[in-house]
Every structure is written in structure tokens, then in C-alpha cells.
Amino acid sequence: MNGHPPHEGDVEASQVFLDGRRLSAALHAAGPIEPALIEAVNHLNLRIYPRDHQAGDRSAYVVLDLHGVSIGVKRRTGDLYLHADTSETSDQRIAFEINGGGETDHPTH
């Protein structure tokens, strides 16, 4: 990103990427940290893609990579878009839950 906010209607081509190991190093510098948190953060990557005003995005597209799965979220004009990518895992199904409504299984293939 060039440091300047995009003009209304512009699509910025770059992304912001945070490697979990850098975040882990920053957490270590702050003092004692729970080992389970450090382990999770070491394996976490965060990618942020600027919103596409022309497509009606209301937010940036934020992707969290953890445990071989990518979860992407963005707010669009008419809905909340949630994307799960398990293509790098051997998972045959995803069990998910929305707002405490109980688990629902979804096949991955």
C-alpha cells in the first residue's frame, strides 16, 4: 500500500500481510505470554485486501490463515461475506455454527 487512502471508486491492488512470527516476537517483547497463545500466533497469518468501492464493499477483505485453513470476511452492501478455504487440508467436511444456532456440517468436496 502506498500510504494514501484510495479515492472513492478506486481499487487498490496491494494487500497488507502480517506474518504471525513477527507478531509473536512483539508479544514476547511485552512480557510473559501464555504458551498456547504463542503457538497459535506463530502459525497465524493475516492478510488484508483493501475494499473494492466499485463492487460495493463496505469493508476490507480480511483473511486469517490458521491450521491450514483460510477464513475470509468482508462486509458487502447487502450482506456479510464469509469464505472458508480448506483446499490445503484433508478435511472432508466443515462443522460450523452461526450465532449459537447449532452446528451444521458442510462437505468440502
Side-chain angles (χ1 to χ4, degrees), residues 30-66:
I33 303 294
E34 173 67 34
L37 175 60
I38 293 299
E39 181 181 348
V41 169
N42 277 336
H43 294 95
L44 173 137
N45 290 312
L46 180 66
R47 294 177 279 144
I48 302 172
Y49 300 87
R51 70 180 176 167
D52 182 345
H53 295 278
Q54 294 174 334
D57 292 346
R58 292 177 30 217
S59 74
Y61 183 51
V62 178
V63 181
L64 173 73
D65 302 312
L66 186 61

Side-chain angles (χ1 to χ4, degrees), residues 1-100:
M1 296 181 73
N2 60 17
H4 301 289
H7 298 292
E8 192 67 32
D10 287 352
V11 177
E12 202 166 330
S14 63
Q15 68 171 310
V16 176
F17 177 80
L18 174 63
D19 183 322
R21 291 170 295 196
R22 292 183 66 196
L23 181 56
S24 179
L27 287 173
H28 274 295
I33 303 294
E34 173 67 34
L37 175 60
I38 293 299
E39 181 181 348
V41 169
N42 277 336
H43 294 95
L44 173 137
N45 290 312
L46 180 66
R47 294 177 279 144
I48 302 172
Y49 300 87
R51 70 180 176 167
D52 182 345
H53 295 278
Q54 294 174 334
D57 292 346
R58 292 177 30 217
S59 74
Y61 183 51
V62 178
V63 181
L64 173 73
D65 302 312
L66 186 61
H67 302 309
V69 177
S70 295
I71 303 293
V73 180
K74 71 177 170 178
R75 294 206 168 274
R76 300 188 297 199
T77 300
D79 60 13
L80 173 70
Y81 176 73
L82 177 63
H83 176 86
D85 183 338
T86 63
S87 60
E88 294 183 18
T89 72
S90 60
D91 298 316
Q92 296 298 304
R93 71 180 205 286
I94 299 173
F96 66 95
E97 183 172 358
I98 298 173
N99 298 333

